[in-house]
Amino acid sequence: MLLPVSRLQPRPLTLSTLPLRRVVLVSRPALWINTLGVALTGLWLSGQLWNTGAAWLTLLAYLTLPFNALIYGLNDVSDMAEDARSERKGGWQGARLRPHEAGSLLWSVAALNVPFLLALSWLLPPAAYLTLLLSAALFAGYSLRPLRFKTRPFLDGLSNVAYALPLLVPALMLGAPVPLLAFAALCAYAVGKHAFDAVQDIPADVAAGTTTVATRLGAGGSAGYALGWFGLSGALLWPLSPLSSAALWLVCGGMALKLRRQPTPAQAARLYALSIVSPWIVGAVSGVQLVYVLAQ
């Protein structure tokens, strides 16, 4: 059931938190791979895959529910008008908040994040901690005013390099070489995926008066824009893993080409499930390579 936009007015903040089950739904567990998997990849690239220290375990725990509640909770609070017009919200693709839930959700995000951030400030070296804070700040800036990068075409996607920053944390934490090439590849992937995923929301964003990279370029232009970033990502990844690069081009490039041939928000919505699992597919291919290396 879509909510009347006229009822989506901000309400005074309350000191209560949302039920945990509701917060978990807001955090979109299907997307936790985008934060948790990136950190695990960073640990693999650091050459210390079996590290299980307190700092590492605390970081992994933070990158599940707390960090994703921050990413998507702030987004859902800011996007209530757009989400009210979106048929895909209200389930696994994202919560549809009711006005009285906004304040409670913000308190829930704070209650989940502050203790972890305090603990990690003590457990992590300064460079690793500041990198994690930068990622959180970019996600907050994407959703919250006055920055609200979401409403600034092209900057909206570029701010999504926040997804790549956790890749650097393990190396900075363990004193290992920073995987700059892998980081650049992941940044390019994140920018392209943002543009691709935003196409399905064009009707809701236009109706709400929200300007994004997708509303600016249109469905076809966004597909081509995403394809360019996916191509760059694969090229940057090639020296590290030709197999992973080929998988990225096949899956992500393929879905961008398919959208380019049929450039409509409805087509983007049909392809969104593939977009969601694309990190799992590329990650699984990389995992096969990892197992082979470990077996030698």
Side-chain angles (χ1 to χ4, degrees):
M1 175 181 176
L2 300 183
L3 299 176
V5 177
S6 60
R7 293 170 53 191
L8 297 175
Q9 300 300 318
R11 298 193 179 186
L13 294 181
T14 66
L15 292 176
S16 63
T17 58
L18 285 183
L20 181 60
R21 182 176 180 180
R22 182 67 167 154
V23 179
V24 170
L25 177 64
V26 167
S27 74
R28 308 184 197 180
L31 303 183
W32 288 6
I33 185 64
N34 294 331
T35 54
L36 190 60
V38 167
L40 287 168
T41 301
L43 185 65
W44 168 27
L45 293 173
S46 76
Q48 301 188 50
L49 185 62
W50 309 117
N51 186 293
T52 56
W56 175 243
L57 294 176
T58 304
L59 176 65
L60 285 186
Y62 176 61
L63 292 175
T64 58
L65 175 61
F67 197 53
N68 284 278
L70 181 149
I71 296 171
Y72 301 112
L74 298 183
N75 184 260
D76 287 346
V77 169
S78 297
D79 284 358
M80 283 196 293
E82 293 89 337
D83 291 347
R85 296 176 168 91
S86 176
E87 294 285 353
R88 73 186 184 90
K89 293 300 177 71
W92 69 272
Q93 295 189 46
R96 183 182 292 120
L97 290 183
R98 297 184 179 276
H100 70 274
E101 293 182 309
S104 296
L105 177 56
L106 291 176
W107 281 111
S108 298
V109 169
L112 285 167
N113 278 264
V114 170
F116 274 98
L117 289 174
L118 288 175
L120 288 167
S121 71
W122 179 66
L123 291 168
L124 294 178
Y129 183 66
L130 290 175
T131 300
L132 186 64
L133 278 186
L134 176 59
S135 179
L138 284 172
F139 281 124
Y142 179 83
S143 296
L144 299 181
R145 292 179 173 85
L147 296 176
R148 207 179 183 216
F149 297 132
K150 176 179 177 175
T151 63
R152 302 173 187 270
F154 302 104
L155 190 56
D156 53 355
L158 291 173
S159 71
N160 269 234
V161 301
Y163 280 109
L165 285 168
L167 183 79
L168 305 179
V169 173
L172 295 171
M173 179 176 69
L174 301 168
V178 175
L180 291 179
L181 197 57
F183 173 68
L186 189 54
C187 286
Y189 167 80
V191 177
K193 190 172 185 301
H194 172 270
F196 181 90
D197 291 346
V199 172
Q200 63 189 318
D201 293 325
I202 288 177
D205 286 336
V206 168
T210 301
T211 304
T212 68
V213 66
T215 64
R216 177 67 59 84
L217 295 178
S222 298
Y225 182 71
L227 182 61
W229 283 106
F230 290 146
L232 175 60
S233 178
L236 290 168
L237 190 58
W238 185 270
L240 299 174
S241 172
L243 194 61
S244 299
S245 179
L248 191 152
W249 281 333
L250 180 64
V251 176
C252 299
M255 67 187 190
L257 284 171
K258 194 170 181 64
L259 179 60
R260 180 74 175 170
R261 286 196 295 267
Q262 189 179 344
T264 65
Q267 174 72 333
R270 286 190 290 270
L271 291 168
Y272 184 59
L274 179 58
S275 178
I276 288 292
V277 300
S278 62
W280 293 89
I281 296 172
V282 177
V285 171
S286 300
V288 170
Q289 182 180 7
L290 172 61
V291 170
Y292 175 77
V293 170
L294 293 175
Q296 298 306 303

